[in-house]
Amino acid sequence: MTTELSSDAVEGLLDRAREDYEALAARGLSLDLTRGKPAPAQLDLSDDLLSLPGGRYTAADGTDVRNYGGLQGLTELREIFADLLQMPVPQLLAAGNSSLELMHDCLVHALLSVAPGAESRWADQERIAFLCPVPGYDRHFALCERFGIDMIPVPMTDAGPDMDVVERLVAEDASVKGIWCVPKYSNPDGVCYSDGTVARLAAMETAAPDFRIFWDNAYAVHHLTDERVEIADLLGVSAAAGHPDRVFVFGSTSKITAAGAGVAFFGSSAANVQWLLANNAKRSIGPDKVNQLRHVLFLRDAEGVRAHMERQRALLEPKFAGVQRILEAELGGTGLATWTTPKGGYFVSLEVPDGCAKEVVRRAAAAGIVLTPAGATHPYGDDPRDAVIRIAPSYPSLEELEQAILGLTACVRVVGYERGVRQASVGS
Ligand SMILES: Cc1ncc(COP(=O)(O)O)c(C=O)c1O
C-alpha cells in the first residue's frame, strides 16, 4: 500500500537527507564500488595455486605441459568443469585466462570466417545486430560497439529476457545474429533463467540460420545461499530442438581461483568446437597448460570446486547481507528505490526513480564514493529511464562497504526528495 506524502513531510525528509549528505561529504571518504572484483581475502583462498604444480609437469596422458600443443586443454581439467558447465567433455575446451577473450574471439571469427550454418561471413553482411537483455554486462556491450554490431535492448523479467520480444525480433530480422545471456545470477540483476525461458531460446525460429546464443555462464557455481540454483542445459535442449549449433557456452575460474590468472572454458556443438579450434590454431600454438595442471591439482574434482565456492561464499555472504540490511533500513518503504536480492553472483541492482540514477552517482562521487557509471548496464551507456545503478559488494572490506552503501542511500534520499518523490509505501 502506498500513501502520498504532504509537501511539508517531503521538505522535512529532504532537510534530513541533506544533513546526512553533508555529514557524509565532510568525512572525506575514498571508496570504490565500481567493479565486481574478488577481494584480497578471496584470492588468498587460492594461495596454494602459486606453488603448484610444484616439480610436476606431466598431464594424465603423459603430455609435457611445459611444451607447445594441446589446443583443447587438459582433459582432466575439462572433466572437472564438464559437470559444472553442463557439457560433454569432448565438446568443452579449456583455454586461456579469460572467457571475455573467448567471446571476443568468437565474434572476430564469425566476422572473418564462415561459422557453421552461416551463408557468409558476418563482415560481408550489411548489418549485424545482437539482442542485449537489459540491464546487462557493460563489457558485452563494449564488444558489440568495438565491432560495429548494432545492439537492440530487450527487457529482463525475473525469469530471463522477455521471450515474447526475443522471439519476435529473431523471427522477423535476419540481421539479428545473436543474443547475450548471463543465465545464472546475471550481471547485474541476479536473475536465473527459468526452464521455460531456456526451452523457448532453444526452440525459437530465427530468420538468421547462423544465430548464436552467447551463454556466458560466468557465475555457474557462485552461490550465496543454500539453494544452489540449477538452470536447464541449453546446449542439450537446443540440440534436441534441432538447433545443435545455436549455443556458445562460456565460463571461467576468474571468480573461483584467481581473476585474470584462472582458466576460461568454451563449450558448444562438435561443429562449433572444431570451427573455433581451427581458427584458434592460427592465433596460438596452445594454451597455458601449466596453469591448467595447477588448477587440476588444486581443485581436484567438481566436488573440490563446490567446496572451494563454499569458502568464497563465507566471505561474500556477509557483504551481500550488509547491503540488504542497510538498503532496507534506509530506503525500505520510502518509495525511493527497489533492489534485487540475488541468490548468487557478484552484484545487486538498485533501481531509483526515473531520471535520478546519474545524479545519484554524481552526488556519491562528490562525497568520495565511486560507483559504476549510471547507464553502463545498457547498450551505448544509455539507460533510457536513467534508473539503474549497479552495486558491486565484493571488493571493499565489510566496513568500507557498509559506509559506502550508507552513503549511497543518503544520495538516493537527497536526489529523490529533491526531484519531488512523494510516494511512500506503508506496512512494508
Ligand atoms: C558476466 C560476466 N562475464 C564475463 C566476465 C569476465 O570473465 P573473465 O574473467 O573470464 O574474462 C565477467 C566479469 O565480471 C562477468 O561479470
Side-chain angles (χ1 to χ4, degrees), residues 232-297:
D233 161 20
L234 177 67
L235 188 66
V237 182
S238 293
H243 304 122
D245 297 331
R246 177 170 286 185
V247 188
F248 288 163
V249 176
F250 303 93
S252 80
T253 69
S254 284
K255 286 160 185 174
I256 297 174
T257 54
V263 182
F265 299 92
F266 171 84
S268 195
S269 64
N272 284 333
V273 167
Q274 282 315 312
W275 171 80
L276 184 67
L277 279 175
N279 285 308
N280 276 358
K282 306 289 190 303
R283 72 181 276 288
S284 170
I285 310 175
D288 179 350
K289 296 182 299 299
V290 174
N291 194 33
Q292 296 190 357
L293 180 59
R294 190 182 281 150
H295 277 76
V296 171
L297 297 173

Side-chain angles (χ1 to χ4, degrees), residues 36 97-101 103 137 140 182 187 216 218-219 251-252 254-255 260 264 347:
N97 71 319
S98 159
S99 61
L100 188 67
E101 185 176 75
M103 296 174 224
Y137 179 38
H140 290 159
V182 183
N187 175 351
D216 180 0
Y219 300 105
S252 80
S254 284
K255 286 160 185 174
F347 303 98

